[in-house]
Amino acid sequence: MAEHARKDVVMIGYGAGSGPASVALSQAGYSVVALERGPHLTAQRDFSPSQIDTLRWVIRDGMIPDFDRMPLTFREDEDDEATPTDYLMSTLVGGATIHWSGQSWRLFEDDFRVRSTVMELYGEERLRYLEDDGASIVDWPISYDEVEPYYERVETHVGIGGWPGNIQGQLRPVKADEGNPFEAPRQNDYPFRPLRDNATNLTFRHGALQRGLHPFHVPTAILTRPYLSPYGISRPPCTYCTFCTGHGCWNASKSDTRVSLLPAAVATGNFELRPGCHVTRLNQENGRVVSVEYVDTTSGERHTQPGDIFLLGAYTFQNVRLLLHSGIDADGKVGQHFMTRSQPSVHAVFDDRFLNGYNGPAVQRQGLDDYNGEVAFEQKLELSNDDFFIRGAFIGSPSQRNPLQTYNQVPPGVPTWGPEYKRYLTNYLNRYIGLQMLTEPLPYEHSRIDLDPNHRDSYGVPGARVTRRIGENERRMGRFIHDRGVEILQAAGAARIWGSGDVQAIPTMTHDTGGLRMGNDPDTSVTNRYCQMWDAPNVFVGGGAVFPTMGGKNPTQTIWMLSYWLADAIIDGRADVDDARNHG
Amino acid sequence: MTSMEAAPTGSDLDRRTFLKRAAGTMAVIAVNMAFRFDAVAQEAARGGYQFFTREEGELMEAIAGRIWPADDDGPGAIEAGAVTYIDRALSGPYAAYQQAYRVLLHDLAGQIRRRYGGSVRDLDERQLDALLGELEERADGDDPLAGLPGRRLELGLGPDSSFDMVRTHVMEGVFCDPIYGGNRDFAGWRAVNYPGAHYVYTAEEQQVFEPLTKPYQSVADL
Ligand SMILES: Cc1cc2nc3c(=O)[nH]c(=O)nc-3n(C[C@H](O)[C@H](O)[C@H](O)COP(=O)(O)OP(=O)(O)OC[C@H]3O[C@@H](n4cnc5c(N)ncnc54)[C@H](O)[C@@H]3O)c2cc1C
Ligand code: SF4
């Protein structure tokens, strides 16, 4: 077994959770190594022009691992045997931010205090059903105001553009009909604007305005002008090639961990990237993690990497199973309160127009937050007890509807093969809209990740097993949000609308969060407010596993934000790496 | 991407699975080599396919032609080369489904013989549609895919049914980039007016509510 020289910081996985911290820590003089199981693919060498191919990257899933490399299983009930499910995140340098969409935002202020907010708005009596169902909603140990500057740092340094909806309390200060008026107040504007609108966006927007709602173009981690980041990294704007979600960007216009952050870490001379290293265990001595073991995926050789501080950045499932496999379980709390996105569906086609939905990256998208968080609380107060729910969803209109990704979207009653099917697709494929509805799932006592006794990965580490079922709140929210989506598309003039308010319990593999909940109390949380493990103070968690609740929004900007946040706490000593209880 | 990784070593268990898998891979390679050796001699006899026999190829074409038929609007899956696409995929990345196709096509050919007393060539569209409809409706246990070897099938991660497998692969063959052997002369993309591989869309192109005219292009043209 090869043993390497000690490093100040050892990162396990190099995705969103590791990227910002890798820059901040190496700039502050720490020696940092990132052990990443996947290869290092680059825009010029690996994505151009091969990226312009839906079959290769999306259908044949060009970047995702086999089940036997990253086993993941799922069951709804404790008594069931869990069955295998696909792990759909790309594993390579940059993590899943390489093939992500780039819809990027801050959480609401009240996302950081969900429990207090709903108690104030609705009272204990109205929320009884949540308790009966085992919902474990809490407040975060940090507030929006504390992390606002870190959110801004992500926007400027990683490269995220948008229309501001609220600068220091001023609503829609730059453009009167653009920006999200319900967003948390920002101190400063975005560094650039988001993508332009296409026919799909304009159609959705029209419907939303007809309904008296507040549509806006979503903020995008995609450049719309040549951009020089504060790190001195310059990248060109997006050409709207549309081979975007599921693909690595050939043009380096899509902001991700690799193009926006890695070069800044490398430039310090203190950072070493080691691709092709699959970490299998954290080794402890006297109650302290001292090294990790990994397998070189090319040679199969086993290595040991000692270090002083460890950052778990291998995505929620891997972070949890590595800890459990290494015997670090925080008295059974590791893996609890797991959350994953479950969406209802609304599809529509138009007779009076073509949308050519294939053109445009997926995140070229209008959307709205009128039903997200507690924005619609007055409307919800009017709901009957059987329909009432807390929190809500973002609703938006994605693009990138090319034939290979859309040929299965046919309304009930239309056959899925044969002459009628062909006639239908020929007429309607380019007249199709399908909504995204980011319903917020709640955390539950009974929703968790543990080790699967029946499946191990190729290196002998047990796979992750998810146990989760849909709660009453998810069911009610699914129905409500589905109906709002239908109203918007009706108002937009859709000829035919179909879909379902049902939501699924199975992990959707994009927004898998919780499991290593952060909190102020070591008895009820796994990490403290700096994502530092109470029971293993030199181990920090980078990634959504620390989220106490999830928000009706995509998680990655918050993951990047927390990575800067925890790194600063290490650097300025607010996080004491000898004692997680002693923090500023 | 996993092909970039060496086979895992480690515990005995790993080594055993690795050896088993390596043996499987070797067999596939050997079979493919054999195909390649007599490819030239047998090309005519086989109808130009690498994996499918002539009879299998005919049956596959008949099926593909019913899933995405030629009509007044234009060519269907046969003309688009969807079966060539599947044939190539089965000789490469979809090798794990070779046996599933063998078993399925054997099963269908047998049914045709028993019920109609001939080969697929003797069936009309209605009979073919009935056959496919029944395949689509088959209960799990009766599906030819049930119990076949193959890691993804074992794990329950493969296609839901053999009909699902064939339909998915035919549609991939219709809508894939032509470099994969399907979507010949952009027949699939023309049917739905999808211009294919382009680096750039302009604001003018994106903001029309009419069909867009842009040249059909393959990734090979970039
Ligand atoms: C198709 C798709 C679209 C998405 N779109 C959006 C979006 O629009 N907006 C948004 O906010 N989010 C989006 N996401 C989610 C986003 O990708 C994740 O939130 C984010 O990548 C999670 O960051 P992470 O660091 O926790 O994990 P990752 O980014 O997945 O990084 C983890 C890294 O660890 C490596 N690793 C795993 N195990 C090991 C091991 N044992 N040893 C060494 N390395 C290991 C992996 O290879 C990987 O590179 C999308 C995801 C997908 C799949
Ligand atoms: S659409 Fe833009 S950001 Fe997305 S891959 Fe193409 S060029 Fe890159």
Side-chain angles (χ1 to χ4, degrees):
Chain A
M1 175 158 337
E3 170 131 359
H4 292 264
R6 169 176 300 275
K7 296 277 185 174
D8 294 334
V9 182
V10 178
M11 297 186 160
I12 299 150
Y14 196 71
S18 303
S22 75
V23 185
L25 291 167
S26 58
Q27 284 187 341
Y30 290 78
S31 63
V32 181
V33 62
L35 306 170
E36 164 56 52
R37 72 177 298 284
H40 189 177
L41 304 188
T42 67
Q44 292 75 17
R45 202 184 55 220
D46 302 296
F47 296 143
S48 175
S50 83
Q51 170 213 335
I52 312 294
D53 179 350
T54 307
L55 185 80
R56 171 169 173 180
W57 297 104
V58 180
I59 305 300
R60 293 187 180 170
D61 290 323
M63 289 179 267
I64 69 157
D66 284 350
F67 177 83
D68 296 303
R69 305 282 172 179
M70 308 279 252
L72 175 67
T73 62
F74 167 71
R75 57 182 183 175
E76 289 204 33
D77 201 274
E78 295 282 339
D79 299 329
D80 297 344
E81 185 168 325
T83 53
T85 178
D86 269 319
Y87 186 88
L88 297 175
M89 306 284 280
S90 57
T91 74
L92 68 169
V93 170
T97 64
I98 301 298
H99 72 164
W100 75 322
S101 308
Q103 180 160 286
S104 195
W105 30 32
R106 307 170 174 206
L107 295 178
F108 290 134
E109 283 172 292
D110 74 10
D111 278 321
F112 292 90
R113 44 193 304 280
V114 168
R115 185 173 189 85
S116 312
T117 303
V118 298
M119 280 297 198
E120 284 155 21
L121 288 177
Y122 306 115
E124 210 164 315
E125 199 46 48
R126 203 93 218 255
L127 302 179
R128 187 83 65 207
Y129 75 100
L130 291 176
E131 210 168 300
D132 295 345
D133 234 11
S136 49
I137 47 168
V138 288
D139 290 352
W140 291 44
I142 53 183
S143 71
Y144 173 77
D145 287 346
E146 282 178 288
V147 296
E148 197 279 337
Y150 291 86
Y151 269 137
E152 182 174 325
R153 209 200 294 179
V154 175
E155 285 157 8
T156 53
H157 288 62
V158 176
I160 293 159
W163 292 103
N166 180 341
I167 298 185
Q168 299 181 22
Q170 254 202 307
L171 299 187
R172 295 186 154 175
V174 173
K175 201 168 177 217
D177 61 353
E178 259 297 357
N180 180 6
F182 307 114
E183 75 171 341
R186 48 180 57 255
Q187 285 303 305
N188 296 296
D189 196 353
Y190 283 102
F192 51 90
R193 299 298 161 223
L195 296 166
R196 64 176 171 243
D197 287 320
N198 61 14
T200 302
N201 299 173
L202 294 171
T203 300
F204 176 90
R205 184 179 169 83
H206 171 71
L209 290 174
Q210 291 292 309
R211 298 286 312 162
L213 306 172
H214 299 80
F216 56 91
H217 196 296
V218 299
T220 55
I222 292 182
L223 302 183
T224 53
R225 64 171 175 82
Y227 186 63
L228 179 65
S229 82
Y231 289 138
I233 299 168
S234 97
R235 295 186 288 123
C238 170
T239 59
Y240 298 79
C241 82
T242 91
F243 294 81
C244 199
T245 298
H247 307 257
C249 177
W250 63 280
N251 201 31
S253 308
K254 182 161 70 172
S255 301
D256 64 42
T257 302
R258 192 186 65 79
V259 296
S260 303
L261 296 161
L262 175 64
V266 170
T268 64
N270 296 325
F271 177 76
E272 185 198 347
L273 176 68
R274 227 179 277 160
C277 301
H278 186 111
V279 175
T280 53
R281 180 185 287 279
L282 281 65
N283 295 319
Q284 284 176 284
E285 263 170 37
N286 307 322
R288 206 178 160 80
V289 174
V290 292
S291 63
V292 299
E293 275 172 38
Y294 69 86
V295 178
D296 178 327
T297 58
T298 323
S299 68
E301 232 175 86
R302 303 236 163 202
H303 294 244
T304 304
Q305 175 62 59
D308 290 334
I309 297 174
F310 297 84
L311 180 77
L312 275 170
Y315 199 55
T316 301
F317 302 115
Q318 272 59 247
N319 291 342
V320 167
R321 74 185 176 104
L322 270 174
L323 285 170
L324 291 177
H325 181 60
S326 308
I328 304 173
D329 78 340
D331 298 325
K333 290 193 292 293
V334 164
Q336 287 185 345
H337 312 293
F338 170 72
M339 298 165 283
T340 186
R341 188 76 68 198
S342 321
Q343 303 193 40
S345 61
V346 176
H347 310 269
V349 287
F350 290 75
D351 275 335
D352 65 344
R353 68 186 68 201
F354 282 80
L355 300 167
N356 307 322
Y358 57 81
N359 78 61
V363 72
Q364 204 176 4
R365 183 177 309 182
Q366 283 271 333
L368 47 87
D369 267 348
D370 292 75
Y371 305 110
N372 205 353
E374 298 302 343
V375 172
F377 86 94
E378 281 171 338
Q379 191 176 348
K380 286 196 277 181
L381 277 173
E382 304 298 315
L383 293 173
S384 77
N385 272 345
D386 289 340
D387 290 325
F388 174 78
F389 64 96
I390 63 165
R391 312 314 285 165
F394 162 80
I395 303 178
S397 57
S399 305
Q400 200 178 328
R401 300 298 193 182
N402 55 55
L404 267 181
Q405 288 176 264
T406 317
Y407 70 80
N408 280 326
Q409 304 302 356
V410 293
V414 174
T416 54
W417 58 278
E420 209 185 316
Y421 171 62
K422 188 182 181 205
R423 250 190 320 275
Y424 176 82
L425 274 199
T426 308
N427 284 331
Y428 281 111
L429 191 75
N430 288 343
R431 300 168 178 273
Y432 167 81
I433 276 189
L435 297 186
Q436 177 187 51
M437 290 175 285
L438 294 178
T439 44
E440 175 174 351
L442 302 183
Y444 289 90
E445 307 281 355
H446 48 70
S447 175
R448 64 190 175 96
I449 309 169
D450 63 3
L451 297 179
D452 191 301
N454 301 318
H455 295 279
R456 284 170 187 271
D457 68 20
S458 339
Y459 309 108
V461 181
R465 174 174 68 178
V466 169
T467 307
R468 178 174 189 260
R469 59 178 186 268
I470 290 296
E472 195 51 34
N473 202 69
E474 282 72 36
R475 253 187 295 277
R476 297 174 184 177
M477 186 193 296
R479 290 198 298 263
F480 179 93
I481 294 296
H482 164 270
D483 293 351
R484 304 292 80 73
V486 169
E487 285 169 358
I488 295 168
L489 292 179
Q490 270 166 349
R496 190 162 184 181
I497 302 176
W498 70 100
S500 161
D502 291 346
V503 292
Q504 308 291 320
I506 193 167
T508 41
M509 292 309 308
T510 44
H511 301 176
D512 306 287
T513 52
L516 302 171
R517 174 179 269 197
M518 57 157 47
N520 283 325
D521 180 356
D523 290 334
T524 56
S525 56
V526 177
T527 76
N528 69 14
R529 66 202 314 267
Y530 299 116
C531 314
Q532 177 183 17
M533 291 193 65
W534 293 112
D535 292 349
N538 63 337
V539 178
F540 290 76
V541 178
V546 300
F547 290 11
T549 57
M550 178 153 157
K553 293 185 155 34
N554 317 59
T556 309
Q557 189 171 336
T558 302
I559 293 174
W560 270 323
M561 176 279 279
L562 288 172
S563 183
Y564 276 133
W565 163 257
L566 72 88
D568 273 15
I570 293 173
I571 294 163
D572 65 23
R574 273 174 300 160
D576 177 347
V577 296
D578 293 318
D579 182 2
R581 285 162 177 77
N582 175 30
H583 61 69
Chain B
M1 191 177 73
T2 43
S3 61
M4 292 181 198
E5 297 174 19
T9 53
S11 70
D12 279 351
L13 181 90
D14 287 346
R15 219 168 286 127
R16 272 206 313 277
T17 25
F18 164 51
L19 288 175
K20 258 205 328 244
R21 257 183 247 165
T25 316
M26 299 300 275
V28 170
I29 293 171
V31 169
N32 285 342
M33 294 280 284
F35 277 134
R36 241 163 261 142
F37 271 114
D38 51 28
V40 183
Q42 296 204 357
E43 174 137 6
R46 293 176 152 283
Y49 295 121
Q50 291 178 35
F51 171 75
F52 292 127
T53 63
R54 165 182 242 156
E55 288 72 30
E56 287 171 338
E58 271 178 14
L59 187 45
M60 275 305 297
E61 286 179 8
I63 294 170
R66 293 316 298 155
I67 289 176
W68 187 257
D71 59 15
D72 293 346
D73 285 339
I78 302 177
E79 299 74 26
V83 180
T84 304
Y85 163 82
I86 299 174
D87 184 66
R88 277 200 215 168
L90 287 172
S91 310
Y94 292 179
Y97 298 123
Q98 284 184 354
Q99 199 173 347
Y101 272 91
R102 281 267 127 84
V103 171
L104 170 69
L105 293 171
H106 181 77
D107 175 284
L108 288 177
Q111 281 199 51
I112 294 172
R113 240 189 342 269
R114 278 195 302 279
R115 282 163 58 175
Y116 304 105
S119 84
V120 66
R121 254 168 295 163
D122 309 317
L123 302 193
D124 60 25
E125 287 179 356
R126 209 178 33 83
Q127 290 165 323
L128 264 172
D129 284 355
L131 204 67
L132 277 178
E134 282 165 29
L135 182 64
E136 190 180 14
E137 298 302 316
R138 267 197 219 176
D140 290 355
D142 294 340
D143 193 289
L145 270 192
L148 283 184
R151 188 66 178 137
R152 286 186 66 76
L153 290 173
E154 265 165 39
L155 291 167
L157 293 172
D160 289 342
S161 65
S162 46
F163 180 82
D164 175 40
M165 173 181 81
V166 172
R167 174 182 173 271
T168 301
H169 292 166
V170 167
M171 294 313 296
E172 285 178 13
V174 171
F175 288 140
C176 65
D177 193 284
I179 60 168
Y180 295 95
N183 189 19
R184 195 177 292 150
D185 299 325
F186 305 113
W189 290 352
R190 279 179 211 279
V192 295
N193 189 30
Y194 171 63
H198 286 269
Y199 277 125
V200 183
Y201 281 87
T202 64
E204 294 69 39
E205 289 169 331
Q206 289 207 299
Q207 291 167 352
V208 292
F209 293 92
E210 294 301 322
L212 194 61
T213 40
K214 213 169 158 76
Y216 295 103
Q217 228 166 255
S218 156
V219 64
D221 301 325
L222 297 178

